[in-house]
Amino acid sequence: MAQSLDTVFAALADPTRRRILSMLLEDDMAVTDVAEPFEMSLAAVSKHLGILTRAGLISQERRGRVVWCKLEPDALRDASIWMQSFGQFEAVHLDAFEQFLAKEFRDDG
């Protein structure tokens, strides 16, 4: 479980990948549609999708010439259980946690 948690948290560490997961909450999307709102190459978005796929957070399926991405919410179950084990905390607010970490790293530099 530790290896899979490391992989999931590493995948979630990047804001682009978190945004992709948020987009996929709505519905399955073609890779080209996932890439559209980002100011990066399709190859760069594909690398992010590969990381999310290896972490089990999404699946990709070729339908004809189009590759579709689908959110796999069960992959977050172990991470959620791990975070809930810190019972003294209320529901984890990831944006606030990210802002806290960003501030901590700015202050250290």
Side-chain angles (χ1 to χ4, degrees), residues 16-82:
T16 299
R17 293 192 285 270
R18 290 193 305 273
R19 186 168 168 208
I20 290 170
L21 291 175
S22 294
M23 292 165 54
L24 292 173
L25 276 172
E26 300 296 319
D27 200 2
D28 299 359
M29 296 178 73
V31 168
T32 52
D33 293 333
V34 170
E36 186 178 318
F38 297 99
E39 293 184 15
M40 63 180 74
S41 68
L42 183 58
V45 171
S46 291
K47 286 183 181 183
H48 285 293
L49 293 173
I51 291 167
L52 291 169
T53 300
R54 284 189 294 282
L57 296 168
I58 67 168
S59 59
Q60 295 185 60
E61 175 188 356
R62 180 172 294 279
R63 298 180 200 158
R65 293 181 170 210
V66 179
V67 177
W68 287 84
C69 300
K70 177 184 178 183
L71 184 67
E72 297 294 342
D74 287 346
L76 287 172
R77 183 174 301 148
D78 286 343
S80 177
I81 290 168
W82 182 83

Coordinates of all heavy atoms in Angstrom, one line a residue, residues 16-82:
T16 N -1.4 20.8 -12.5 CA -2.0 20.4 -13.8 C -2.7 19.1 -13.7 O -3.8 19.0 -14.2 CB -0.9 20.3 -14.9 OG1 -0.2 21.6 -15.0 CG2 -1.4 19.9 -16.2
R17 N -2.1 18.1 -13.0 CA -2.8 16.8 -12.9 C -4.0 16.9 -12.0 O -5.0 16.3 -12.3 CB -1.8 15.8 -12.4 CG -0.7 15.5 -13.4 CD 0.2 14.3 -13.0 NE 1.1 14.5 -12.0 CZ 2.3 14.9 -12.1 NH1 2.8 15.2 -13.3 NH2 3.1 15.1 -11.1
R18 N -4.0 17.7 -11.0 CA -5.2 17.9 -10.2 C -6.3 18.6 -11.0 O -7.5 18.2 -10.9 CB -4.9 18.7 -8.9 CG -4.0 18.0 -7.9 CD -4.0 18.7 -6.6 NE -3.6 20.0 -6.6 CZ -2.3 20.5 -6.6 NH1 -1.3 19.6 -6.5 NH2 -2.0 21.7 -6.6
R19 N -5.9 19.5 -11.9 CA -6.9 20.1 -12.7 C -7.5 19.1 -13.7 O -8.7 19.1 -14.0 CB -6.3 21.3 -13.5 CG -7.3 22.1 -14.2 CD -6.7 23.4 -14.7 NE -7.6 24.1 -15.7 CZ -7.2 24.9 -16.6 NH1 -5.9 25.2 -16.7 NH2 -8.0 25.4 -17.5
I20 N -6.7 18.3 -14.3 CA -7.2 17.3 -15.2 C -8.2 16.4 -14.5 O -9.2 16.1 -15.0 CB -6.0 16.4 -15.8 CG1 -5.2 17.3 -16.7 CG2 -6.5 15.2 -16.4 CD1 -3.8 16.6 -17.2
L21 N -7.8 15.9 -13.3 CA -8.8 15.1 -12.5 C -10.1 15.8 -12.3 O -11.2 15.2 -12.4 CB -8.2 14.7 -11.2 CG -7.0 13.7 -11.2 CD1 -6.4 13.5 -9.8 CD2 -7.4 12.4 -11.9
S22 N -10.0 17.1 -12.0 CA -11.3 17.9 -11.8 C -12.1 17.9 -13.0 O -13.3 17.8 -13.0 CB -10.9 19.3 -11.3 OG -10.3 19.3 -10.1
M23 N -11.4 18.1 -14.2 CA -12.1 18.1 -15.5 C -12.8 16.8 -15.7 O -14.0 16.7 -16.2 CB -11.2 18.4 -16.6 CG -10.6 19.8 -16.6 SD -9.1 20.0 -17.7 CE -9.8 19.4 -19.2
L24 N -12.2 15.7 -15.3 CA -12.7 14.3 -15.6 C -13.8 14.0 -14.6 O -14.5 12.9 -14.8 CB -11.6 13.3 -15.6 CG -10.6 13.4 -16.7 CD1 -9.5 12.4 -16.5 CD2 -11.3 13.1 -18.1
L25 N -14.0 14.8 -13.6 CA -15.1 14.5 -12.7 C -16.5 14.7 -13.4 O -17.4 14.0 -13.1 CB -15.1 15.6 -11.5 CG -14.3 15.2 -10.3 CD1 -14.2 16.4 -9.4 CD2 -14.8 14.0 -9.6
E26 N -16.5 15.6 -14.4 CA -17.7 15.8 -15.2 C -18.1 14.7 -16.0 O -19.2 14.3 -16.1 CB -17.5 17.1 -16.0 CG -17.2 18.4 -15.2 CD -18.3 18.8 -14.3 OE1 -19.5 18.7 -14.7 OE2 -18.0 19.2 -13.2
D27 N -17.1 14.2 -16.8 CA -17.4 13.1 -17.8 C -16.1 12.6 -18.4 O -15.0 13.3 -18.2 CB -18.3 13.6 -18.9 CG -19.0 12.5 -19.6 OD1 -18.9 11.3 -19.3 OD2 -19.8 12.9 -20.6
D28 N -16.1 11.5 -19.1 CA -15.0 11.0 -19.8 C -14.6 12.1 -20.9 O -15.5 12.7 -21.4 CB -15.3 9.7 -20.5 CG -15.6 8.6 -19.6 OD1 -15.6 8.8 -18.3 OD2 -16.0 7.5 -20.0
M29 N -13.4 12.2 -21.2 CA -13.0 13.2 -22.2 C -11.9 12.6 -23.1 O -11.1 11.8 -22.7 CB -12.4 14.4 -21.5 CG -13.3 15.2 -20.7 SD -12.5 16.6 -19.8 CE -12.3 17.7 -21.2
A30 N -11.9 13.0 -24.4 CA -10.9 12.7 -25.3 C -9.6 13.4 -24.9 O -9.6 14.5 -24.4 CB -11.3 13.1 -26.7
V31 N -8.4 12.8 -25.2 CA -7.2 13.4 -24.8 C -7.0 14.8 -25.4 O -6.6 15.7 -24.7 CB -6.0 12.5 -25.3 CG1 -4.7 13.2 -25.2 CG2 -6.0 11.2 -24.5
T32 N -7.5 15.0 -26.6 CA -7.4 16.3 -27.2 C -8.2 17.4 -26.5 O -7.8 18.5 -26.3 CB -7.7 16.3 -28.7 OG1 -9.0 15.7 -28.8 CG2 -6.7 15.5 -29.5
D33 N -9.4 16.9 -26.0 CA -10.2 17.8 -25.2 C -9.6 18.1 -23.8 O -9.7 19.3 -23.3 CB -11.6 17.2 -25.0 CG -12.4 17.1 -26.3 OD1 -12.1 18.0 -27.3 OD2 -13.3 16.3 -26.5
V34 N -9.0 17.1 -23.2 CA -8.3 17.4 -22.0 C -7.2 18.4 -22.2 O -7.0 19.3 -21.4 CB -7.7 16.1 -21.4 CG1 -6.8 16.3 -20.2 CG2 -8.8 15.1 -21.0
A35 N -6.5 18.3 -23.3 CA -5.3 19.2 -23.5 C -5.7 20.6 -23.9 O -4.9 21.5 -23.6 CB -4.5 18.6 -24.7
E36 N -6.9 20.8 -24.4 CA -7.3 22.1 -24.9 C -7.1 23.3 -24.0 O -6.6 24.3 -24.4 CB -8.8 22.0 -25.4 CG -9.3 23.3 -26.1 CD -10.7 23.1 -26.6 OE1 -11.0 22.0 -27.1 OE2 -11.4 24.1 -26.4
P37 N -7.5 23.2 -22.7 CA -7.4 24.4 -21.9 C -6.0 24.7 -21.4 O -5.7 25.8 -20.8 CB -8.3 24.2 -20.7 CG -8.5 22.7 -20.6 CD -8.3 22.2 -22.0
F38 N -5.0 23.8 -21.7 CA -3.7 24.0 -21.1 C -2.8 24.7 -22.2 O -2.9 24.4 -23.4 CB -3.1 22.7 -20.7 CG -3.8 22.0 -19.6 CD1 -4.8 21.0 -19.8 CD2 -3.7 22.5 -18.3 CE1 -5.5 20.5 -18.8 CE2 -4.4 21.9 -17.2 CZ -5.3 20.9 -17.5
E39 N -1.9 25.5 -21.7 CA -1.0 26.2 -22.6 C 0.3 25.4 -22.6 O 1.4 25.8 -22.2 CB -0.7 27.6 -22.1 CG -1.9 28.5 -22.3 CD -1.6 29.9 -21.9 OE1 -0.5 30.3 -21.8 OE2 -2.6 30.7 -21.7
M40 N 0.2 24.1 -23.1 CA 1.3 23.3 -23.3 C 1.1 22.3 -24.4 O -0.1 22.2 -24.9 CB 1.6 22.5 -22.0 CG 0.5 21.5 -21.5 SD 0.9 20.6 -20.0 CE 0.7 21.9 -18.8
S41 N 2.1 21.6 -24.9 CA 1.9 20.8 -26.0 C 1.1 19.5 -25.7 O 0.9 19.2 -24.5 CB 3.3 20.3 -26.5 OG 3.9 19.4 -25.6
L42 N 0.5 18.9 -26.7 CA -0.2 17.7 -26.5 C 0.7 16.6 -25.9 O 0.3 15.8 -25.0 CB -0.8 17.2 -27.8 CG -1.7 16.0 -27.8 CD1 -2.9 16.1 -26.8 CD2 -2.2 15.6 -29.2
A43 N 2.0 16.6 -26.3 CA 2.9 15.6 -25.7 C 3.1 15.8 -24.2 O 3.2 14.9 -23.4 CB 4.3 15.7 -26.4
A44 N 3.2 17.1 -23.8 CA 3.3 17.4 -22.4 C 2.1 16.9 -21.6 O 2.2 16.4 -20.5 CB 3.6 18.9 -22.1
V45 N 0.9 17.2 -22.1 CA -0.4 16.8 -21.5 C -0.4 15.2 -21.4 O -0.8 14.6 -20.4 CB -1.6 17.3 -22.2 CG1 -2.9 16.7 -21.6 CG2 -1.6 18.8 -22.0
S46 N 0.1 14.6 -22.5 CA 0.1 13.1 -22.5 C 1.0 12.6 -21.4 O 0.7 11.5 -20.9 CB 0.6 12.6 -23.9 OG -0.4 12.9 -24.9
K47 N 2.1 13.2 -21.1 CA 3.0 12.8 -20.1 C 2.2 12.9 -18.7 O 2.3 12.0 -17.9 CB 4.2 13.6 -20.0 CG 5.2 13.3 -21.1 CD 6.5 14.1 -21.0 CE 7.4 13.7 -22.1 NZ 8.7 14.4 -22.0
H48 N 1.5 14.0 -18.5 CA 0.7 14.1 -17.3 C -0.3 13.0 -17.2 O -0.6 12.3 -16.2 CB 0.0 15.4 -17.2 CG 0.9 16.6 -16.9 ND1 1.5 16.7 -15.6 CD2 1.3 17.6 -17.6 CE1 2.2 17.8 -15.6 NE2 2.1 18.4 -16.8
L49 N -1.0 12.7 -18.3 CA -2.0 11.6 -18.4 C -1.3 10.2 -18.1 O -1.9 9.4 -17.4 CB -2.7 11.6 -19.7 CG -3.6 12.8 -20.0 CD1 -4.1 12.8 -21.4 CD2 -4.7 12.9 -19.0
G50 N -0.1 10.0 -18.6 CA 0.6 8.8 -18.3 C 0.8 8.6 -16.8 O 0.7 7.5 -16.3
I51 N 1.2 9.7 -16.1 CA 1.5 9.6 -14.7 C 0.2 9.3 -14.0 O 0.2 8.5 -13.0 CB 2.1 11.0 -14.2 CG1 3.5 11.1 -14.8 CG2 2.1 11.1 -12.7 CD1 4.2 12.5 -14.6
L52 N -0.9 10.0 -14.3 CA -2.2 9.7 -13.7 C -2.6 8.3 -14.0 O -3.2 7.6 -13.1 CB -3.2 10.7 -14.2 CG -3.1 12.1 -13.8 CD1 -4.0 13.1 -14.6 CD2 -3.3 12.3 -12.3
T53 N -2.4 7.8 -15.2 CA -2.7 6.4 -15.5 C -1.9 5.4 -14.7 O -2.5 4.4 -14.1 CB -2.5 6.1 -17.0 OG1 -3.4 7.0 -17.7 CG2 -2.9 4.7 -17.4
R54 N -0.6 5.6 -14.6 CA 0.2 4.7 -13.8 C -0.1 4.7 -12.3 O 0.0 3.7 -11.6 CB 1.7 5.1 -14.0 CG 2.3 4.6 -15.3 CD 3.8 4.8 -15.4 NE 4.2 6.1 -15.4 CZ 4.2 7.0 -16.4 NH1 3.7 6.6 -17.6 NH2 4.6 8.2 -16.3
A55 N -0.6 5.8 -11.8 CA -1.1 5.9 -10.4 C -2.5 5.3 -10.3 O -2.9 5.2 -9.1 CB -1.1 7.4 -10.0
G56 N -3.1 4.9 -11.3 CA -4.4 4.3 -11.3 C -5.6 5.3 -11.1 O -6.7 4.9 -10.9
L57 N -5.2 6.6 -11.2 CA -6.2 7.7 -11.0 C -7.2 7.8 -12.2 O -8.3 8.3 -12.1 CB -5.6 9.0 -10.6 CG -4.8 8.9 -9.3 CD1 -3.9 10.2 -9.2 CD2 -5.8 8.8 -8.2
I58 N -6.6 7.5 -13.4 CA -7.5 7.5 -14.6 C -7.2 6.3 -15.4 O -6.2 5.6 -15.2 CB -7.2 8.8 -15.5 CG1 -5.8 8.7 -16.1 CG2 -7.5 10.1 -14.7 CD1 -5.6 9.8 -17.2
S59 N -8.1 6.0 -16.3 CA -7.8 4.9 -17.3 C -7.9 5.6 -18.7 O -8.6 6.6 -18.8 CB -8.8 3.8 -17.2 OG -10.1 4.2 -17.3
Q60 N -7.2 5.0 -19.6 CA -7.3 5.5 -21.0 C -7.7 4.3 -21.9 O -7.3 3.2 -21.7 CB -6.0 6.0 -21.5 CG -5.5 7.3 -20.7 CD -4.2 7.8 -21.2 OE1 -4.2 8.2 -22.4 NE2 -3.2 7.9 -20.4
E61 N -8.6 4.6 -22.8 CA -9.2 3.6 -23.7 C -9.2 4.2 -25.2 O -9.8 5.3 -25.4 CB -10.6 3.2 -23.3 CG -11.3 2.2 -24.2 CD -12.7 2.0 -23.8 OE1 -13.2 2.5 -22.8 OE2 -13.4 1.3 -24.6
R62 N -8.7 3.4 -26.1 CA -8.8 3.8 -27.5 C -10.1 3.4 -28.1 O -10.5 2.2 -28.0 CB -7.6 3.2 -28.3 CG -7.7 3.6 -29.8 CD -6.4 3.2 -30.5 NE -5.2 3.8 -30.1 CZ -4.8 5.1 -30.5 NH1 -5.6 5.7 -31.3 NH2 -3.7 5.6 -30.0
R63 N -10.8 4.4 -28.6 CA -12.1 4.1 -29.3 C -11.9 4.6 -30.7 O -12.0 5.8 -30.9 CB -13.3 4.8 -28.6 CG -13.5 4.3 -27.2 CD -14.7 5.0 -26.6 NE -14.6 5.0 -25.1 CZ -15.2 5.8 -24.3 NH1 -16.0 6.8 -24.8 NH2 -15.1 5.7 -23.0
G64 N -11.7 3.7 -31.6 CA -11.4 4.2 -33.0 C -10.0 4.9 -33.0 O -9.0 4.4 -32.5
R65 N -10.0 6.1 -33.5 CA -8.8 6.9 -33.5 C -8.6 7.8 -32.3 O -7.6 8.5 -32.2 CB -8.8 7.8 -34.8 CG -8.7 7.0 -36.1 CD -8.7 8.0 -37.2 NE -8.4 7.3 -38.4 CZ -7.8 7.8 -39.5 NH1 -7.4 9.1 -39.4 NH2 -7.5 7.1 -40.5
V66 N -9.6 7.8 -31.4 CA -9.6 8.7 -30.3 C -9.3 8.0 -29.0 O -9.8 6.9 -28.7 CB -10.9 9.4 -30.2 CG1 -11.0 10.4 -29.0 CG2 -11.3 10.2 -31.5
V67 N -8.4 8.5 -28.2 CA -8.1 8.0 -26.9 C -8.9 8.8 -25.8 O -8.9 10.0 -25.8 CB -6.6 8.1 -26.5 CG1 -6.3 7.6 -25.1 CG2 -5.8 7.3 -27.5
W68 N -9.7 8.0 -25.1 CA -10.6 8.6 -24.1 C -10.0 8.4 -22.7 O -9.4 7.4 -22.4 CB -12.0 8.0 -24.1 CG -12.7 8.5 -25.3 CD1 -12.6 7.9 -26.6 CD2 -13.6 9.5 -25.4 NE1 -13.4 8.6 -27.5 CE2 -14.1 9.6 -26.8 CE3 -14.1 10.4 -24.5 CZ2 -15.0 10.6 -27.2 CZ3 -15.0 11.4 -24.9 CH2 -15.4 11.5 -26.3
C69 N -10.2 9.4 -21.8 CA -9.7 9.3 -20.4 C -10.9 9.3 -19.5 O -11.9 10.0 -19.7 CB -8.9 10.6 -20.1 SG -7.5 10.8 -21.1
K70 N -10.8 8.4 -18.5 CA -11.9 8.2 -17.6 C -11.3 8.3 -16.1 O -10.3 7.7 -15.8 CB -12.6 6.9 -17.8 CG -13.7 6.6 -16.8 CD -14.2 5.2 -17.0 CE -15.3 4.9 -16.0 NZ -15.8 3.5 -16.1
L71 N -12.0 9.0 -15.3 CA -11.6 9.1 -13.9 C -11.8 7.7 -13.2 O -12.8 7.1 -13.4 CB -12.4 10.2 -13.2 CG -12.0 10.5 -11.7 CD1 -10.7 11.1 -11.6 CD2 -13.1 11.4 -11.1
E72 N -10.9 7.3 -12.4 CA -11.0 6.1 -11.6 C -11.0 6.5 -10.1 O -10.0 6.4 -9.5 CB -9.9 5.1 -11.9 CG -9.8 4.6 -13.4 CD -11.0 3.8 -13.8 OE1 -11.7 3.3 -12.9 OE2 -11.2 3.6 -15.0
P73 N -12.1 6.9 -9.6 CA -12.2 7.4 -8.2 C -11.8 6.4 -7.1 O -11.3 6.8 -6.1 CB -13.6 7.9 -8.1 CG -14.4 7.1 -9.1 CD -13.5 6.8 -10.2
D74 N -11.9 5.1 -7.4 CA -11.5 4.2 -6.4 C -10.1 4.2 -6.0 O -9.6 3.8 -5.0 CB -11.9 2.7 -6.8 CG -13.4 2.5 -6.8 OD1 -14.1 3.3 -6.1 OD2 -13.9 1.5 -7.3
A75 N -9.3 4.7 -7.0 CA -7.8 4.8 -6.7 C -7.5 5.8 -5.6 O -6.4 5.7 -5.0 CB -7.1 5.2 -8.0
L76 N -8.4 6.7 -5.3 CA -8.1 7.6 -4.2 C -8.6 7.0 -2.9 O -8.3 7.7 -1.8 CB -8.9 8.9 -4.5 CG -8.3 9.8 -5.6 CD1 -9.3 10.9 -5.9 CD2 -7.0 10.3 -5.2
R77 N -9.2 5.9 -2.9 CA -9.7 5.3 -1.6 C -8.6 5.1 -0.6 O -8.7 5.5 0.6 CB -10.4 4.0 -1.9 CG -11.0 3.4 -0.6 CD -11.9 2.2 -0.9 NE -12.9 2.6 -1.8 CZ -13.4 1.8 -2.7 NH1 -13.0 0.5 -2.8 NH2 -14.4 2.2 -3.5
D78 N -7.5 4.5 -0.9 CA -6.4 4.3 0.0 C -5.8 5.6 0.6 O -5.6 5.7 1.8 CB -5.3 3.4 -0.6 CG -5.7 1.9 -0.7 OD1 -6.6 1.5 -0.1 OD2 -5.0 1.2 -1.5
A79 N -5.7 6.5 -0.3 CA -5.2 7.9 0.1 C -6.2 8.5 1.0 O -5.8 9.1 2.1 CB -4.9 8.7 -1.1
S80 N -7.4 8.4 0.8 CA -8.4 9.0 1.6 C -8.5 8.3 3.0 O -8.5 9.0 4.0 CB -9.8 8.9 0.9 OG -10.8 9.4 1.8
I81 N -8.4 7.0 3.0 CA -8.3 6.3 4.3 C -7.1 6.7 5.1 O -7.2 6.9 6.3 CB -8.4 4.8 4.0 CG1 -9.8 4.4 3.5 CG2 -8.0 4.0 5.3 CD1 -9.8 2.9 2.9
W82 N -6.0 6.8 4.4 CA -4.8 7.2 5.1 C -4.9 8.6 5.7 O -4.6 8.8 6.9 CB -3.6 7.2 4.1 CG -2.3 7.5 4.8 CD1 -1.5 6.7 5.5 CD2 -1.7 8.8 4.8 NE1 -0.4 7.4 6.0 CE2 -0.5 8.7 5.5 CE3 -2.0 10.1 4.3 CZ2 0.4 9.8 5.7 CZ3 -1.1 11.1 4.5 CH2 0.0 11.0 5.2

